Amino acid sequence: MTQKTILITGVSSGFGFHTAKLLALSGYQVYGTVRKKDDLKIFSKLPKEIRPKTMILDVTWSQEKISQIVNKIIKQTSHIDCLINNAGYGHMGCIGSFTIEEVRQQFDVNLFGAFKMIFATLPIMRKHQQGLIINVSSISGFVTTAFYGIYSSSKFALEALTQSLRVEESIFNINAVSIN
């Protein structure tokens, strides 16, 4: 049986870091993305045979550039079994205190970044008639409070994307789920 390949965005800290480390220790072939060159060696203390492979990828890059990086992984592994869209961040504050550029940036990372990664990985998953897409969301994608309007808006949209994707891609044996 072929080793499962997992691609995770945003592994330089937090959930992404710990998820990548745990999956690699469990025997999966893990590719993790980071935005900064300094973070490429984030897993260097782990033994090489169980170390996630890291690469620079910013989900705000162009679709073409993201697809090129994903295609390099596919050339090495011939498949991507699971995509974990973990990259994200949150603007907190009164909606009226943000610029439209700050709102765009929030959506560019939390929503459009997930879209770009999905667009880059769906063809190989469809070809193999199997896959799993996990979008890291938030409880704020279901309910919101004051000062969370912009962040919650991006996560509400991510929830809608996940729900539609789950239905549409089920004919290819591809599942989509969100983690809150």
Short mmCIF file of all heavy atoms in Angstrom, two decimals, residues 98-154:
data_model
loop_
_atom_site.label_atom_id
_atom_site.label_comp_id
_atom_site.label_asym_id
_atom_site.label_seq_id
_atom_site.Cartn_x
_atom_site.Cartn_y
_atom_site.Cartn_z
N PHE A 98 -11.74 49.13 10.18
CA PHE A 98 -10.84 48.50 9.21
C PHE A 98 -10.95 49.17 7.85
O PHE A 98 -11.99 49.71 7.49
CB PHE A 98 -11.17 47.01 9.06
CG PHE A 98 -10.91 46.23 10.30
CD1 PHE A 98 -11.93 45.85 11.14
CD2 PHE A 98 -9.60 45.89 10.66
CE1 PHE A 98 -11.69 45.14 12.29
CE2 PHE A 98 -9.35 45.18 11.82
CZ PHE A 98 -10.40 44.81 12.64
N THR A 99 -9.88 49.09 7.10
CA THR A 99 -9.92 49.54 5.72
C THR A 99 -10.42 48.40 4.85
O THR A 99 -10.36 47.23 5.25
CB THR A 99 -8.52 49.96 5.23
OG1 THR A 99 -7.69 48.79 5.19
CG2 THR A 99 -7.90 51.03 6.12
N ILE A 100 -10.88 48.72 3.68
CA ILE A 100 -11.33 47.67 2.77
C ILE A 100 -10.16 46.77 2.38
O ILE A 100 -10.33 45.57 2.17
CB ILE A 100 -12.05 48.26 1.52
CG1 ILE A 100 -12.85 47.17 0.79
CG2 ILE A 100 -11.08 48.94 0.58
CD1 ILE A 100 -14.00 46.61 1.58
N GLU A 101 -8.97 47.32 2.36
CA GLU A 101 -7.78 46.51 2.07
C GLU A 101 -7.55 45.47 3.17
O GLU A 101 -7.18 44.33 2.88
CB GLU A 101 -6.55 47.39 1.87
CG GLU A 101 -5.33 46.63 1.37
CD GLU A 101 -5.59 45.77 0.13
OE1 GLU A 101 -6.27 46.22 -0.81
OE2 GLU A 101 -5.11 44.61 0.11
N GLU A 102 -7.74 45.85 4.42
CA GLU A 102 -7.60 44.89 5.52
C GLU A 102 -8.65 43.78 5.44
O GLU A 102 -8.36 42.62 5.71
CB GLU A 102 -7.68 45.61 6.87
CG GLU A 102 -6.46 46.47 7.15
CD GLU A 102 -6.64 47.35 8.37
OE1 GLU A 102 -7.74 47.94 8.56
OE2 GLU A 102 -5.67 47.47 9.15
N VAL A 103 -9.86 44.15 5.04
CA VAL A 103 -10.91 43.15 4.86
C VAL A 103 -10.55 42.20 3.72
O VAL A 103 -10.67 40.98 3.84
CB VAL A 103 -12.28 43.82 4.60
CG1 VAL A 103 -13.35 42.78 4.30
CG2 VAL A 103 -12.69 44.69 5.78
N ARG A 104 -10.08 42.77 2.60
CA ARG A 104 -9.65 41.93 1.47
C ARG A 104 -8.55 40.97 1.88
O ARG A 104 -8.55 39.81 1.49
CB ARG A 104 -9.17 42.80 0.31
CG ARG A 104 -10.25 43.34 -0.54
CD ARG A 104 -9.68 43.94 -1.84
NE ARG A 104 -10.75 44.57 -2.57
CZ ARG A 104 -10.96 45.87 -2.63
NH1 ARG A 104 -10.12 46.72 -2.05
NH2 ARG A 104 -12.00 46.36 -3.30
N GLN A 105 -7.57 41.46 2.64
CA GLN A 105 -6.47 40.61 3.08
C GLN A 105 -6.98 39.45 3.94
O GLN A 105 -6.54 38.32 3.80
CB GLN A 105 -5.42 41.44 3.84
CG GLN A 105 -4.22 40.65 4.29
CD GLN A 105 -3.37 40.11 3.16
OE1 GLN A 105 -3.38 40.61 2.06
NE2 GLN A 105 -2.63 39.05 3.44
N GLN A 106 -7.94 39.75 4.83
CA GLN A 106 -8.52 38.70 5.67
C GLN A 106 -9.15 37.61 4.81
O GLN A 106 -8.94 36.43 5.02
CB GLN A 106 -9.58 39.31 6.60
CG GLN A 106 -10.24 38.31 7.52
CD GLN A 106 -9.36 37.92 8.67
OE1 GLN A 106 -9.47 38.49 9.74
NE2 GLN A 106 -8.48 36.97 8.48
N PHE A 107 -9.93 38.01 3.82
CA PHE A 107 -10.58 37.04 2.93
C PHE A 107 -9.56 36.37 2.00
O PHE A 107 -9.72 35.20 1.67
CB PHE A 107 -11.68 37.73 2.12
CG PHE A 107 -12.99 37.78 2.84
CD1 PHE A 107 -13.21 38.70 3.85
CD2 PHE A 107 -14.00 36.88 2.54
CE1 PHE A 107 -14.41 38.74 4.53
CE2 PHE A 107 -15.21 36.91 3.22
CZ PHE A 107 -15.42 37.84 4.23
N ASP A 108 -8.53 37.10 1.61
CA ASP A 108 -7.52 36.52 0.72
C ASP A 108 -6.83 35.34 1.39
O ASP A 108 -6.58 34.32 0.75
CB ASP A 108 -6.50 37.60 0.32
CG ASP A 108 -5.76 37.27 -0.96
OD1 ASP A 108 -6.23 36.41 -1.74
OD2 ASP A 108 -4.70 37.87 -1.18
N VAL A 109 -6.54 35.46 2.66
CA VAL A 109 -5.88 34.36 3.37
C VAL A 109 -6.89 33.29 3.77
O VAL A 109 -6.74 32.12 3.44
CB VAL A 109 -5.13 34.89 4.62
CG1 VAL A 109 -4.59 33.74 5.45
CG2 VAL A 109 -4.01 35.84 4.20
N ASN A 110 -7.94 33.67 4.49
CA ASN A 110 -8.85 32.69 5.09
C ASN A 110 -9.78 32.01 4.11
O ASN A 110 -10.20 30.88 4.36
CB ASN A 110 -9.68 33.34 6.19
CG ASN A 110 -8.86 33.72 7.40
OD1 ASN A 110 -7.66 33.49 7.45
ND2 ASN A 110 -9.49 34.34 8.37
N LEU A 111 -10.14 32.66 3.02
CA LEU A 111 -11.08 32.07 2.07
C LEU A 111 -10.45 31.80 0.71
O LEU A 111 -10.41 30.66 0.25
CB LEU A 111 -12.31 32.96 1.91
CG LEU A 111 -13.36 32.44 0.92
CD1 LEU A 111 -13.98 31.14 1.43
CD2 LEU A 111 -14.42 33.50 0.67
N PHE A 112 -9.93 32.83 0.07
CA PHE A 112 -9.40 32.65 -1.28
C PHE A 112 -8.15 31.77 -1.28
O PHE A 112 -7.90 31.05 -2.25
CB PHE A 112 -9.15 34.00 -1.96
CG PHE A 112 -10.44 34.74 -2.20
CD1 PHE A 112 -10.66 35.96 -1.59
CD2 PHE A 112 -11.43 34.21 -3.01
CE1 PHE A 112 -11.86 36.64 -1.78
CE2 PHE A 112 -12.62 34.88 -3.21
CZ PHE A 112 -12.84 36.11 -2.59
N GLY A 113 -7.38 31.80 -0.19
CA GLY A 113 -6.24 30.89 -0.08
C GLY A 113 -6.70 29.44 -0.10
O GLY A 113 -6.09 28.59 -0.75
N ALA A 114 -7.79 29.15 0.60
CA ALA A 114 -8.35 27.79 0.60
C ALA A 114 -8.83 27.43 -0.81
O ALA A 114 -8.58 26.31 -1.29
CB ALA A 114 -9.49 27.68 1.60
N PHE A 115 -9.51 28.35 -1.47
CA PHE A 115 -9.95 28.10 -2.85
C PHE A 115 -8.76 27.75 -3.74
O PHE A 115 -8.81 26.78 -4.51
CB PHE A 115 -10.64 29.34 -3.44
CG PHE A 115 -12.14 29.37 -3.29
CD1 PHE A 115 -12.74 30.28 -2.43
CD2 PHE A 115 -12.95 28.51 -4.02
CE1 PHE A 115 -14.11 30.33 -2.29
CE2 PHE A 115 -14.33 28.56 -3.90
CZ PHE A 115 -14.91 29.47 -3.02
N LYS A 116 -7.69 28.53 -3.66
CA LYS A 116 -6.53 28.30 -4.51
C LYS A 116 -5.92 26.92 -4.26
O LYS A 116 -5.54 26.22 -5.21
CB LYS A 116 -5.48 29.40 -4.30
CG LYS A 116 -5.89 30.75 -4.84
CD LYS A 116 -4.84 31.78 -4.46
CE LYS A 116 -5.32 33.19 -4.67
NZ LYS A 116 -4.32 34.17 -4.22
N MET A 117 -5.82 26.54 -3.00
CA MET A 117 -5.26 25.22 -2.68
C MET A 117 -6.17 24.11 -3.17
O MET A 117 -5.71 23.08 -3.69
CB MET A 117 -5.02 25.11 -1.17
CG MET A 117 -3.96 26.05 -0.62
SD MET A 117 -2.34 25.94 -1.41
CE MET A 117 -1.89 24.25 -1.05
N ILE A 118 -7.46 24.31 -3.05
CA ILE A 118 -8.43 23.31 -3.54
C ILE A 118 -8.32 23.20 -5.06
O ILE A 118 -8.26 22.09 -5.61
CB ILE A 118 -9.85 23.68 -3.09
CG1 ILE A 118 -9.98 23.48 -1.58
CG2 ILE A 118 -10.90 22.87 -3.86
CD1 ILE A 118 -11.21 24.13 -0.96
N PHE A 119 -8.28 24.34 -5.76
CA PHE A 119 -8.15 24.31 -7.22
C PHE A 119 -6.88 23.58 -7.65
O PHE A 119 -6.86 22.92 -8.68
CB PHE A 119 -8.16 25.73 -7.80
CG PHE A 119 -9.46 26.47 -7.66
CD1 PHE A 119 -9.48 27.85 -7.73
CD2 PHE A 119 -10.66 25.82 -7.46
CE1 PHE A 119 -10.66 28.56 -7.62
CE2 PHE A 119 -11.85 26.51 -7.34
CZ PHE A 119 -11.85 27.89 -7.42
N ALA A 120 -5.82 23.71 -6.87
CA ALA A 120 -4.54 23.08 -7.22
C ALA A 120 -4.53 21.57 -6.96
O ALA A 120 -3.82 20.84 -7.64
CB ALA A 120 -3.40 23.76 -6.46
N THR A 121 -5.29 21.11 -5.97
CA THR A 121 -5.24 19.70 -5.60
C THR A 121 -6.40 18.86 -6.14
O THR A 121 -6.27 17.64 -6.25
CB THR A 121 -5.20 19.53 -4.07
OG1 THR A 121 -6.32 20.21 -3.50
CG2 THR A 121 -3.90 20.09 -3.50
N LEU A 122 -7.51 19.48 -6.47
CA LEU A 122 -8.67 18.71 -6.95
C LEU A 122 -8.37 17.85 -8.18
O LEU A 122 -8.83 16.69 -8.24
CB LEU A 122 -9.86 19.63 -7.26
CG LEU A 122 -10.88 19.83 -6.17
CD1 LEU A 122 -12.01 20.73 -6.64
CD2 LEU A 122 -11.42 18.53 -5.61
N PRO A 123 -7.63 18.34 -9.17
CA PRO A 123 -7.41 17.49 -10.36
C PRO A 123 -6.77 16.15 -10.03
O PRO A 123 -7.20 15.12 -10.56
CB PRO A 123 -6.51 18.35 -11.24
CG PRO A 123 -6.84 19.76 -10.86
CD PRO A 123 -7.10 19.70 -9.38
N ILE A 124 -5.78 16.12 -9.15
CA ILE A 124 -5.12 14.84 -8.83
C ILE A 124 -6.04 13.97 -7.98
O ILE A 124 -6.06 12.75 -8.14
CB ILE A 124 -3.73 15.05 -8.16
CG1 ILE A 124 -2.94 13.75 -8.18
CG2 ILE A 124 -3.85 15.61 -6.76
CD1 ILE A 124 -2.51 13.28 -9.53
N MET A 125 -6.83 14.57 -7.10
CA MET A 125 -7.77 13.79 -6.31
C MET A 125 -8.85 13.18 -7.20
O MET A 125 -9.22 12.02 -7.05
CB MET A 125 -8.39 14.65 -5.21
CG MET A 125 -7.43 15.02 -4.10
SD MET A 125 -8.28 16.00 -2.83
CE MET A 125 -6.95 16.26 -1.67
N ARG A 126 -9.34 13.98 -8.13
CA ARG A 126 -10.34 13.46 -9.07
C ARG A 126 -9.76 12.34 -9.92
O ARG A 126 -10.43 11.34 -10.18
CB ARG A 126 -10.86 14.58 -9.97
CG ARG A 126 -11.81 15.53 -9.27
CD ARG A 126 -12.22 16.64 -10.18
NE ARG A 126 -13.27 17.46 -9.61
CZ ARG A 126 -13.73 18.57 -10.17
NH1 ARG A 126 -13.22 18.99 -11.32
NH2 ARG A 126 -14.68 19.25 -9.58
N LYS A 127 -8.54 12.52 -10.38
CA LYS A 127 -7.89 11.49 -11.20
C LYS A 127 -7.82 10.16 -10.46
O LYS A 127 -8.06 9.10 -11.03
CB LYS A 127 -6.48 11.95 -11.59
CG LYS A 127 -5.71 10.93 -12.40
CD LYS A 127 -4.31 11.43 -12.73
CE LYS A 127 -3.53 10.35 -13.46
NZ LYS A 127 -2.14 10.75 -13.69
N HIS A 128 -7.49 10.23 -9.17
CA HIS A 128 -7.37 9.01 -8.36
C HIS A 128 -8.70 8.58 -7.73
O HIS A 128 -8.75 7.58 -7.02
CB HIS A 128 -6.30 9.19 -7.29
CG HIS A 128 -4.92 9.23 -7.85
ND1 HIS A 128 -4.23 8.10 -8.21
CD2 HIS A 128 -4.11 10.28 -8.14
CE1 HIS A 128 -3.04 8.45 -8.69
NE2 HIS A 128 -2.95 9.77 -8.66
N GLN A 129 -9.75 9.40 -7.97
CA GLN A 129 -11.08 9.09 -7.44
C GLN A 129 -11.09 8.91 -5.92
O GLN A 129 -11.78 8.04 -5.39
CB GLN A 129 -11.64 7.82 -8.12
CG GLN A 129 -11.94 7.99 -9.61
CD GLN A 129 -13.21 8.78 -9.83
OE1 GLN A 129 -14.28 8.33 -9.46
NE2 GLN A 129 -13.11 9.96 -10.44
N GLN A 130 -10.33 9.76 -5.25
CA GLN A 130 -10.35 9.74 -3.78
C GLN A 130 -9.59 10.93 -3.23
O GLN A 130 -8.69 11.44 -3.87
CB GLN A 130 -9.76 8.43 -3.24
CG GLN A 130 -8.32 8.16 -3.60
CD GLN A 130 -7.37 8.39 -2.44
OE1 GLN A 130 -7.75 8.28 -1.29
NE2 GLN A 130 -6.14 8.73 -2.73
N GLY A 131 -10.01 11.35 -2.05
CA GLY A 131 -9.30 12.43 -1.38
C GLY A 131 -10.09 12.98 -0.22
O GLY A 131 -11.27 12.66 -0.03
N LEU A 132 -9.41 13.78 0.56
CA LEU A 132 -10.02 14.43 1.72
C LEU A 132 -9.50 15.86 1.77
O LEU A 132 -8.30 16.10 1.68
CB LEU A 132 -9.63 13.69 3.01
CG LEU A 132 -10.06 14.32 4.33
CD1 LEU A 132 -11.58 14.43 4.42
CD2 LEU A 132 -9.50 13.53 5.51
N ILE A 133 -10.43 16.80 1.91
CA ILE A 133 -10.09 18.21 2.06
C ILE A 133 -10.61 18.65 3.41
O ILE A 133 -11.80 18.54 3.69
CB ILE A 133 -10.68 19.06 0.92
CG1 ILE A 133 -10.08 18.62 -0.42
CG2 ILE A 133 -10.43 20.56 1.18
CD1 ILE A 133 -10.78 19.19 -1.63
N ILE A 134 -9.70 19.12 4.25
CA ILE A 134 -10.06 19.59 5.58
C ILE A 134 -9.80 21.09 5.62
O ILE A 134 -8.67 21.54 5.42
CB ILE A 134 -9.24 18.88 6.67
CG1 ILE A 134 -9.48 17.37 6.61
CG2 ILE A 134 -9.58 19.45 8.05
CD1 ILE A 134 -8.55 16.56 7.51
N ASN A 135 -10.85 21.85 5.88
CA ASN A 135 -10.72 23.30 6.02
C ASN A 135 -10.79 23.64 7.51
O ASN A 135 -11.77 23.32 8.18
CB ASN A 135 -11.83 24.02 5.26
CG ASN A 135 -11.67 23.89 3.77
OD1 ASN A 135 -10.55 23.89 3.26
ND2 ASN A 135 -12.77 23.76 3.04
N VAL A 136 -9.73 24.26 8.00
CA VAL A 136 -9.70 24.65 9.40
C VAL A 136 -10.49 25.95 9.52
O VAL A 136 -10.09 26.99 9.00
CB VAL A 136 -8.26 24.80 9.93
CG1 VAL A 136 -8.26 25.27 11.38
CG2 VAL A 136 -7.52 23.47 9.80
N SER A 137 -11.60 25.86 10.19
CA SER A 137 -12.52 26.97 10.33
C SER A 137 -12.48 27.47 11.78
O SER A 137 -11.42 27.49 12.40
CB SER A 137 -13.92 26.53 9.91
OG SER A 137 -14.81 27.61 9.91
N SER A 138 -13.63 27.81 12.29
CA SER A 138 -13.72 28.35 13.64
C SER A 138 -15.18 28.30 14.06
O SER A 138 -16.08 28.32 13.21
CB SER A 138 -13.23 29.80 13.64
OG SER A 138 -13.54 30.43 14.86
N ILE A 139 -15.43 28.26 15.34
CA ILE A 139 -16.80 28.39 15.83
C ILE A 139 -17.37 29.73 15.35
O ILE A 139 -18.57 29.88 15.16
CB ILE A 139 -16.88 28.23 17.37
CG1 ILE A 139 -18.32 28.08 17.83
CG2 ILE A 139 -16.20 29.38 18.07
CD1 ILE A 139 -19.02 26.83 17.35
N SER A 140 -16.47 30.68 15.08
CA SER A 140 -16.89 31.99 14.56
C SER A 140 -17.43 31.89 13.15
O SER A 140 -17.97 32.86 12.62
CB SER A 140 -15.72 32.99 14.61
OG SER A 140 -15.36 33.24 15.95
N GLY A 141 -17.30 30.73 12.54
CA GLY A 141 -17.91 30.49 11.23
C GLY A 141 -19.38 30.12 11.34
O GLY A 141 -20.07 29.95 10.33
N PHE A 142 -19.87 29.99 12.58
CA PHE A 142 -21.29 29.68 12.82
C PHE A 142 -21.99 30.76 13.61
O PHE A 142 -23.15 31.05 13.38
CB PHE A 142 -21.42 28.35 13.57
CG PHE A 142 -20.98 27.17 12.78
CD1 PHE A 142 -19.74 26.60 12.99
CD2 PHE A 142 -21.81 26.63 11.80
CE1 PHE A 142 -19.33 25.50 12.25
CE2 PHE A 142 -21.41 25.54 11.06
CZ PHE A 142 -20.17 24.97 11.28
N VAL A 143 -21.28 31.31 14.58
CA VAL A 143 -21.83 32.38 15.41
C VAL A 143 -20.76 33.45 15.55
O VAL A 143 -19.57 33.15 15.52
CB VAL A 143 -22.26 31.87 16.82
CG1 VAL A 143 -23.41 30.90 16.72
CG2 VAL A 143 -21.09 31.25 17.56
N THR A 144 -21.20 34.67 15.72
CA THR A 144 -20.23 35.74 15.88
C THR A 144 -20.64 36.64 17.02
O THR A 144 -21.78 36.57 17.51
CB THR A 144 -20.05 36.55 14.58
OG1 THR A 144 -18.91 37.40 14.70
CG2 THR A 144 -21.29 37.36 14.23
N THR A 145 -19.72 37.45 17.45
CA THR A 145 -19.98 38.43 18.50
C THR A 145 -19.36 39.75 18.04
O THR A 145 -18.70 39.82 17.00
CB THR A 145 -19.34 38.01 19.84
OG1 THR A 145 -17.93 37.92 19.67
CG2 THR A 145 -19.88 36.67 20.31
N ALA A 146 -19.56 40.75 18.84
CA ALA A 146 -18.95 42.05 18.54
C ALA A 146 -17.44 41.88 18.40
O ALA A 146 -16.83 41.05 19.08
CB ALA A 146 -19.27 43.05 19.65
N PHE A 147 -16.86 42.63 17.50
CA PHE A 147 -15.42 42.68 17.26
C PHE A 147 -14.88 41.50 16.45
O PHE A 147 -13.69 41.42 16.22
CB PHE A 147 -14.63 42.85 18.56
CG PHE A 147 -15.14 43.94 19.43
CD1 PHE A 147 -15.78 43.67 20.63
CD2 PHE A 147 -15.05 45.27 19.02
CE1 PHE A 147 -16.28 44.69 21.42
CE2 PHE A 147 -15.55 46.30 19.81
CZ PHE A 147 -16.16 46.01 21.01
N TYR A 148 -15.74 40.58 16.06
CA TYR A 148 -15.31 39.43 15.26
C TYR A 148 -15.93 39.44 13.86
O TYR A 148 -15.83 38.46 13.14
CB TYR A 148 -15.70 38.11 15.96
CG TYR A 148 -14.76 37.72 17.05
CD1 TYR A 148 -14.80 38.33 18.29
CD2 TYR A 148 -13.82 36.72 16.84
CE1 TYR A 148 -13.94 37.97 19.31
CE2 TYR A 148 -12.95 36.35 17.85
CZ TYR A 148 -13.01 36.98 19.08
OH TYR A 148 -12.14 36.61 20.08
N GLY A 149 -16.55 40.52 13.46
CA GLY A 149 -17.30 40.57 12.21
C GLY A 149 -16.51 40.21 10.97
O GLY A 149 -16.98 39.44 10.13
N ILE A 150 -15.32 40.75 10.82
CA ILE A 150 -14.54 40.49 9.61
C ILE A 150 -14.01 39.06 9.61
O ILE A 150 -14.15 38.32 8.63
CB ILE A 150 -13.41 41.52 9.47
CG1 ILE A 150 -14.03 42.90 9.20
CG2 ILE A 150 -12.44 41.13 8.37
CD1 ILE A 150 -13.08 44.04 9.24
N TYR A 151 -13.44 38.63 10.72
CA TYR A 151 -12.95 37.26 10.84
C TYR A 151 -14.10 36.27 10.65
O TYR A 151 -14.00 35.32 9.88
CB TYR A 151 -12.30 37.08 12.21
CG TYR A 151 -11.87 35.66 12.50
CD1 TYR A 151 -10.76 35.12 11.86
CD2 TYR A 151 -12.54 34.89 13.42
CE1 TYR A 151 -10.34 33.82 12.13
CE2 TYR A 151 -12.13 33.59 13.71
CZ TYR A 151 -11.03 33.07 13.05
OH TYR A 151 -10.63 31.78 13.33
N SER A 152 -15.20 36.50 11.36
CA SER A 152 -16.35 35.59 11.25
C SER A 152 -16.89 35.54 9.83
O SER A 152 -17.27 34.46 9.36
CB SER A 152 -17.47 36.03 12.20
OG SER A 152 -17.08 35.83 13.54
N SER A 153 -16.93 36.67 9.15
CA SER A 153 -17.40 36.68 7.76
C SER A 153 -16.56 35.75 6.89
O SER A 153 -17.10 34.99 6.07
CB SER A 153 -17.35 38.09 7.19
OG SER A 153 -18.23 38.94 7.88
N SER A 154 -15.26 35.79 7.07
CA SER A 154 -14.38 34.93 6.25
C SER A 154 -14.60 33.46 6.60
O SER A 154 -14.55 32.59 5.73
CB SER A 154 -12.91 35.32 6.43
OG SER A 154 -12.42 35.01 7.71
#
